[in-house]
Amino acid sequence: MAFLEINQVDKIFKDAKRGTQVQALQDISVTIEENEFVCLLGGSGCGKSTLLNLIAGFEKPTIGEIMMNGKKIEKMGADRGMVFQQPTLMPWLTVQKNIAFHLKLKRASRQKKKEEAQKYIDMVGLTGFEKHYPHELSGGMSQRVGIARALLQNPSLILMDEPFAALDPFTKLEMQEELARIWQKNKRTIIFVTHSVEEALMLGTKVIVLSKRPGRINKIINLEMDRPRDSTSPIFNRYKREILTLIEKNEEPLLEEDSMHQVI
Ligand SMILES: Nc1ncnc2c1ncn2[C@@H]1O[C@H](COP(=O)(O)OP(=O)(O)OP(=O)(O)O)[C@@H](O)[C@H]1O
Ligand SMILES: [Mg+2]
């Protein structure tokens, strides 16, 4: 039995008010094993967030099903943790309390909350900022809090939706290295959405390249590269060329807005 199985999933959004519908995903089938770091790569609007939301259980597939450990995903669950593009921190809580929020819900002791939070604060490189509030943090630091919070929940699957998209190139690189290090040390299963080929190649064990809308699987590539990844190495650039060629072949003249929507 696979850890995560996505079976022939379609997602169609109906817009009753406008009398239209948008097919976001078409015939998505993929199997993901435990400890994989899967990068979901595709252009804007190809359905990456939609697929992540289906796995998270925020939405349901129109056709098909998603199974985790043999059980159909029908709603949200503590076995899946989400890190969003913009960190959704609680502004009235310190770094430490934001990270330990999940334990507060579980009514853990003060000592346990402090110890657990510290472990993840150290892990993501925020030591010394325990008592800071979100407005006193940089974008990169806020993202670290979001990642630490997701790790502390100890979900078996971490879903990340372009978590580094808003960061400058230096911070982004630093965060990518940090995440790869944390993943290597702690071995979690991660599904990471990105529209950057380089980011997917820096991080993933597997890249799923999605086509334009409706998002279909263009290709699944297993990355055989050492870590830390070197973006100047020949193998990295071979993968990059392969993916860019796939994307170029998928380029078609822009469709008229109307033909993207089918009338119900
Ligand atoms: N809740 C919704 N209701 C209606 N349409 C939606 C909804 N969510 C997404 N869509 C549509 O589905 C398509 C895919 O959207 P999605 O957000 O999954 O794309 P994406 O690949 O994450 O894009 P981006 O890289 O810009 O974040 C888009 O055409 C979008 O308009
Ligand atoms: Mg998105």
Side-chain angles (χ1 to χ4, degrees):
M1 181 179 53
F3 174 66
L4 189 79
E5 243 178 89
I6 303 176
N7 291 327
Q8 296 175 315
V9 163
D10 279 25
K11 179 67 186 176
I12 297 166
F13 290 106
K14 292 203 166 120
D15 183 341
K17 212 167 78 191
R18 295 190 187 88
T20 59
Q21 62 180 23
V22 174
Q23 177 149 17
L25 296 170
Q26 187 183 358
D27 199 22
I28 302 285
S29 290
V30 63
T31 299
I32 292 167
E33 296 300 340
E34 228 164 339
N35 300 335
E36 278 198 271
F37 194 137
V38 178
C39 289
L40 209 54
L41 178 68
S44 186
C46 78
K48 303 180 298 296
S49 299
T50 302
L51 186 53
L52 216 59
N53 289 339
L54 293 176
I55 299 168
F58 299 153
E59 300 265 5
K60 282 188 181 169
T62 311
I63 302 174
E65 58 183 13
I66 305 181
M67 316 282 287
M68 188 166 162
N69 290 319
K71 205 168 150 264
K72 189 167 165 179
I73 292 177
E74 310 229 55
K75 52 179 171 25
M76 289 178 260
D79 55 353
R80 280 151 287 146
M82 188 90 159
V83 180
F84 297 94
Q85 187 168 342
Q86 301 294 341
T88 46
L89 305 182
M90 283 159 276
W92 61 91
L93 295 180
T94 62
V95 163
Q96 190 183 61
K97 288 187 172 159
N98 262 290
I99 292 173
F101 190 73
H102 180 71
L103 294 175
K104 186 180 161 98
L105 296 178
K106 285 170 116 184
R107 297 180 186 279
S109 71
R110 182 187 288 248
Q111 186 61 18
K112 164 109 174 139
K113 279 189 289 198
K114 208 171 151 204
E115 276 173 20
E116 276 289 289
Q118 196 61 45
K119 189 167 119 194
Y120 292 97
I121 286 169
D122 296 343
M123 195 184 284
V124 299
L126 280 176
T127 317
F129 291 92
E130 294 81 357
K131 301 284 181 225
H132 281 58
Y133 286 88
H135 74 271
E136 298 172 299
L137 305 176
S138 71
M141 290 160 93
S142 304
Q143 275 303 0
R144 288 169 200 261
V145 177
I147 292 169
R149 185 179 52 188
L151 290 170
L152 180 140
Q153 279 186 41
N154 200 18
S156 37
L157 178 60
I158 301 177
L159 304 166
M160 305 180 104
D161 195 354
E162 303 200 48
F164 307 147
L167 305 179
D168 67 80
F170 300 103
T171 316
K172 189 183 286 193
L173 202 64
E174 198 182 303
M175 293 293 293
Q176 287 167 351
E177 282 168 5
E178 193 102 0
L179 182 63
R181 193 182 54 76
I182 292 170
W183 171 80
Q184 269 186 299
K185 202 162 157 229
N186 297 272
K187 287 292 172 188
R188 304 283 176 86
T189 315
I190 299 180
I191 304 182
F192 186 104
V193 163
T194 179
H195 54 244
S196 156
V197 179
E198 297 239 342
E199 186 164 61
L201 292 176
M202 285 303 279
L203 295 173
T205 54
K206 181 183 261 180
V207 181
I208 301 178
V209 186
L210 289 180
S211 73
K212 284 187 165 180
R213 183 180 43 208
R216 279 163 282 120
I217 292 184
N218 187 333
K219 190 155 187 191
I220 300 174
I221 302 170
N222 289 308
L223 299 177
E224 313 279 348
M225 276 193 284
D226 295 337
R227 289 180 194 268
R229 300 267 162 91
D230 174 5
S231 65
T232 61
S233 70
I235 184 157
F236 189 100
N237 283 285
R238 271 205 301 279
Y239 280 124
K240 190 171 163 185
R241 205 168 305 127
E242 181 185 350
I243 294 174
L244 289 175
T245 308
L246 281 173
I247 295 171
E248 265 168 34
K249 276 197 196 144
N250 191 231
E251 289 289 328
E252 282 155 24
L254 274 180
L255 295 170
E256 292 286 322
E257 184 63 24
D258 277 353
S259 62
M260 295 196 299
H261 298 103
Q262 305 158 9
V263 175
I264 297 169

